[in-house]
Amino acid sequence: MTRHTLRRSGRVLALASMAALAACSVTEDLLQVENPTELPISELQQTALINALINGVVGDFTHMYDDPFIWQGSMFTDEQVTGINWEQTARLNLRIVQFNEGPTDAMFSQISRALRQGEDVSERFRTLLTSPNSDARLAKTLAFAGYSYIAMGEAMCEAVVSRVDINTGVVIFGDKLLTPSELFTTALGHFAEAITIATAAGDNTMLNLARVGTARAALNLGGQAAAVIAAASAVPANFRYELEYSATTPREQNTLYARVTG
């Protein structure tokens, strides 16, 4: 009886294992799913997505620049006073900045996101565009990458900058803490290339956007008065470049405007 029971149990286990294997073979494809709202990294390198890639660069910078860069940064510098009684906001107003709290983490992560977009898309455009050295679209992404470096240098005492393999999406982490001066110097390199490309493309808007960035980065570095004057004096007095916001979604909202107007 015992022997029979053991045999029977073994048979049941064997059948159960076979059923499990069959179920796995049937459901294997069900586990391989794709997110319909996202594209794999490997599929981004196509000309049909050029405008979408540019919009991603501008969109992430716009979102970061409003909040946290201006909204939270202006609390810390007393450029605006808020009555919002969130505990973290109150500490920020008192210049108590804890590295593991939302405002500080958002400042670094959102600037990093905008910076990565600007640099990664610029790298894509070097091979994706037909004539990248005279295409204002590359000048635009380089300029936005430069402004992201400025934001990082102005907001952080030091920062690690990583890069992404544009073919695989693998993050290659930086192994050095960069000072604000090093970040501003990197920004100058991006603006210099943007100026060269915008000049070749005949795009004055991108040319002047990069010139303003050059002046700001050089001013932040200090001791470069001649470079600041040369870049800024070449920009028309009526030049403006506006970032666009919308009430359509929370991400597009102008946070500072919404919170100071009630």
Side-chain angles (χ1 to χ4, degrees):
M1 188 69 173
T2 303
R3 190 177 303 159
H4 176 70
T5 302
L6 288 174
R7 276 203 209 107
R8 188 175 176 188
S9 299
R11 186 174 174 220
V12 170
L13 287 172
L15 288 173
S17 298
M18 291 174 63
L21 287 172
C24 285
S25 64
V26 170
T27 60
E28 185 178 11
D29 290 341
L30 295 178
L31 299 177
Q32 299 177 358
V33 297
E34 294 183 1
N35 186 339
T37 64
E38 295 184 4
L39 284 174
I41 294 292
S42 59
E43 294 184 18
L44 291 178
Q45 199 71 4
Q46 48 182 302
T47 55
L49 296 177
I50 287 176
N51 287 337
L53 290 169
I54 294 174
N55 290 339
V57 172
V58 176
D60 276 336
F61 182 89
T62 300
H63 175 61
M64 169 277 292
Y65 201 67
D66 170 59
D67 182 17
F69 188 74
I70 293 177
W71 168 244
Q72 295 181 14
S74 58
M75 296 178 202
F76 184 70
T77 58
D78 283 346
E79 291 173 276
Q80 62 105 345
V81 180
T82 178
I84 292 177
N85 62 350
W86 296 327
E87 185 180 2
Q88 292 178 342
T89 302
R91 276 196 290 273
L92 195 59
N93 273 314
L94 294 172
R95 295 186 175 83
I96 301 173
V97 184
Q98 299 181 13
F99 76 93
N100 60 341
E101 286 195 329
T104 311
D105 177 69
M107 188 70 75
F108 178 75
S109 61
Q110 294 299 329
I111 297 174
S112 294
R113 183 186 182 98
L115 191 156
R116 277 275 51 78
Q117 280 274 48
E119 288 210 315
D120 295 350
V121 173
S122 294
E123 284 304 306
R124 290 187 182 281
F125 280 1
R126 296 187 193 283
T127 56
L128 194 57
L129 299 175
T130 304
S131 303
N133 292 331
S134 58
D135 195 315
R137 292 173 292 186
L138 176 54
K140 186 172 188 175
T141 58
L142 284 167
F144 272 90
Y147 277 102
S148 293
Y149 269 103
I150 287 178
M152 186 72 84
E154 290 181 351
M156 295 288 156
C157 297
E158 56 187 17
V160 172
V161 176
S162 303
R163 67 183 182 88
V164 176
D165 186 311
I166 62 173
N167 296 310
T168 64
V170 174
V171 178
I172 302 170
F173 294 99
D175 57 0
K176 180 186 176 184
L177 280 172
L178 301 176
T179 65
S181 292
E182 290 173 310
L183 294 166
F184 297 141
T185 300
T186 303
L188 285 176
H190 285 66
F191 291 130
E193 187 177 3
I195 287 172
T196 300
I197 295 172
T199 301
D203 190 313
N204 289 329
T205 299
M206 288 304 108
L207 177 60
N208 288 317
L209 182 64
R211 284 170 171 167
V212 172
T214 298
R216 180 162 168 173
L219 187 65
N220 283 337
L221 279 169
Q224 298 197 25
V228 175
I229 293 171
S233 61
V235 180
N238 62 347
F239 174 74
R240 290 173 63 90
Y241 190 91
E242 296 184 350
L243 300 174
E244 297 182 3
Y245 295 88
S246 168
T248 304
T249 67
R251 182 175 174 79
E252 297 173 272
Q253 179 175 284
N254 186 327
T255 302
L256 181 64
Y257 175 82
R259 291 179 180 168
V260 300
T261 59

